[in-house]
Amino acid sequence: MVCKSCSYKFFFDPQKDKLTSSTSLHDSRFKAIINHASANGTYHFTPDQLFSSARHFGRESKVGCIIVAVVLLAAAVIGFAADIIVLLLFSLLIGFVISVTGIIHFFRGPQPKRKSWDRFVKYWEDEVEPIPQLIKSPALGNPPPDWKESDIYDYGVSGIILCDREETVDWLVLNQFHSQTNTLILTAAGYPEYLRGVAENILENKPDLPVHLLHDPGTSAKSLITQNTLPVPDFTDLGLDEATMAGLTVLRKRFGKKQLGSLPLDVIPYRTFSAALTHCLANGVLLGSILGANAMDSDTDISFG
């Protein structure tokens, strides 16, 4: 498709490409989803976050359905009261068709499917351009240019965060969470490799340094401790449990009940997640209790004081 006025070549065809069965996907909407995931270019984001934003745009308003239902009900009442058989039958027929369509739509699922969405993302990156700030893990396999081990001490290390996934490390480090909170962030298995020796040296000099475990609901703290190779005598588990994830309003609006407990941490908007995690590290409280108490109604919830 090509715009006749400006000759812009559209990649997506709204007639064929669907975000949901009733929501078209076009170039502008795809770019809006990217902007939503990155908070308008502010943050790096993971594929999970991008999909979460796609689910946000795939939500379908119930207002239109309510309006149609009220109009049909009013028409049926008027037809019955005025003994207008044609109006009554017409209202019942349209109501029946809409009900059947709604039932089919319900069982097909109203939200974007992950495989379909990943296919859209791949097509876009292959045919149009790479998505700016989309993290492709592992993104920290090599140290940054001109990196020196002494650089890690420029901001001082007040704690270590051990994650279960490389994606979580990339997500936090590329958004500068480590420098903002004076923490060293790596996986329990030792990714990125160039920081493992740094962590060992720090712990040898500061054996009582706080070490926090950060993991998805589907990963146990015990499994991280088993993977860990650092000389750490004690841990603080910051990971969220399934009940907490299921209680976050912004996620309940996007995902079904069966999906909520198995979602990874990075479907949570970064602005909210980083604010909550910062509060936990500064005040010695658990991440689950902070997010659970807040319930997180929107993407911009950052008040945890």
Side-chain angles (χ1 to χ4, degrees), residues 240-248 287-289 291-292:
L240 299 178
D241 57 22
E242 296 180 1
T244 301
M245 289 288 280
L248 302 181
L287 186 59
S289 63
L291 286 175

Side-chain angles (χ1 to χ4, degrees), residues 33-34 72 104 116 133 144 170 177 180 201 214 231 235 251 256 278 280 298 300:
I33 292 171
I34 294 173
L72 288 175
I104 294 174
S116 299
Q133 296 171 294
D170 293 341
F177 185 83
Q180 293 162 3
N201 291 336
L214 183 62
F235 301 86
L251 298 184
T278 300
C280 291
S298 72
T300 55

Side-chain angles (χ1 to χ4, degrees), residues 1 4 29-30 40 121 123 127 136 144-145 153 166 169 174 177-178 195 197 218 222-223 232 258-260 286 293 305:
M1 291 179 60
K4 295 180 180 179
R29 179 165 286 155
F30 188 81
N40 295 317
V121 171
Y123 287 165
E127 302 296 333
K136 297 178 176 65
Y153 300 102
E166 295 176 354
V169 174
L174 290 177
F177 185 83
H178 62 299
L195 288 181
K222 185 177 180 180
S223 67
V232 182
K258 293 182 179 179
Q259 297 171 297
L260 286 170
L286 299 181

Side-chain angles (χ1 to χ4, degrees), residues 200-258:
E200 291 174 349
N201 291 336
I202 291 175
L203 286 169
E204 285 180 8
N205 294 321
K206 294 183 178 180
D208 58 343
L209 191 72
V211 178
H212 309 278
L213 302 178
L214 183 62
H215 56 86
D216 294 334
T219 304
S220 67
K222 185 177 180 180
S223 67
L224 261 70
I225 295 173
T226 302
Q227 296 176 35
N228 174 60
T229 58
L230 298 175
V232 182
D234 195 18
F235 301 86
T236 299
D237 182 13
L238 294 176
L240 299 178
D241 57 22
E242 296 180 1
T244 301
M245 289 288 280
L248 302 181
T249 305
V250 69
L251 298 184
R252 290 207 309 270
K253 293 177 180 178
R254 301 178 188 179
F255 298 94
K257 290 182 179 179
K258 293 182 179 179

Side-chain angles (χ1 to χ4, degrees), residues 15-196:
Q15 300 300 320
K16 299 178 181 178
D17 298 317
K18 301 290 184 179
L19 195 57
T20 69
S21 56
S22 59
T23 305
S24 298
L25 181 63
H26 45 74
D27 291 25
S28 295
R29 179 165 286 155
F30 188 81
K31 293 176 181 178
I33 292 171
I34 294 173
N35 287 334
H36 183 268
S38 67
N40 295 317
T42 305
Y43 304 116
H44 291 267
F45 55 94
T46 65
D48 290 329
Q49 274 192 306
L50 185 59
F51 178 59
S52 183
S53 291
R55 301 276 293 200
H56 170 79
F57 278 79
R59 290 185 301 172
E60 297 171 348
S61 174
K62 297 180 176 61
V63 175
C65 297
I66 293 173
I67 292 175
V68 171
V70 170
V71 170
L72 288 175
L73 180 61
V77 170
I78 293 172
F80 180 78
D83 199 24
I84 305 176
I85 303 300
V86 174
L87 180 60
L88 176 60
L89 292 177
F90 177 76
S91 300
L92 293 175
L93 177 62
I94 296 299
F96 174 76
V97 172
I98 292 176
S99 298
V100 171
T101 303
I103 292 172
I104 294 174
H105 182 67
F106 174 80
F107 283 106
R108 288 182 63 183
Q111 293 284 13
K113 304 300 182 185
R114 183 62 186 259
K115 287 185 179 179
S116 299
W117 174 250
D118 286 346
R119 192 160 54 245
F120 287 140
V121 171
K122 185 178 186 305
Y123 287 165
W124 179 271
E125 292 207 303
D126 288 347
E127 302 296 333
V128 181
E129 61 180 358
I131 297 175
Q133 296 171 294
L134 176 61
I135 299 170
K136 297 178 176 65
S137 296
L140 302 172
N142 298 311
D146 302 323
W147 181 85
K148 299 177 183 178
E149 186 171 321
S150 58
D151 293 343
I152 202 73
Y153 300 102
D154 288 346
Y155 57 81
V157 176
S158 60
I160 294 177
I161 299 177
L162 297 180
C163 304
D164 58 334
R165 293 187 299 131
E166 295 176 354
E167 291 84 356
T168 307
V169 174
D170 293 341
W171 183 41
L172 294 174
V173 172
L174 290 177
N175 285 308
Q176 302 301 311
F177 185 83
H178 62 299
S179 59
Q180 293 162 3
T181 56
N182 300 332
T183 52
L184 188 65
I185 304 174
L186 61 163
T187 65
Y191 167 86
E193 181 67 30
Y194 65 89
L195 288 181
R196 186 194 304 219

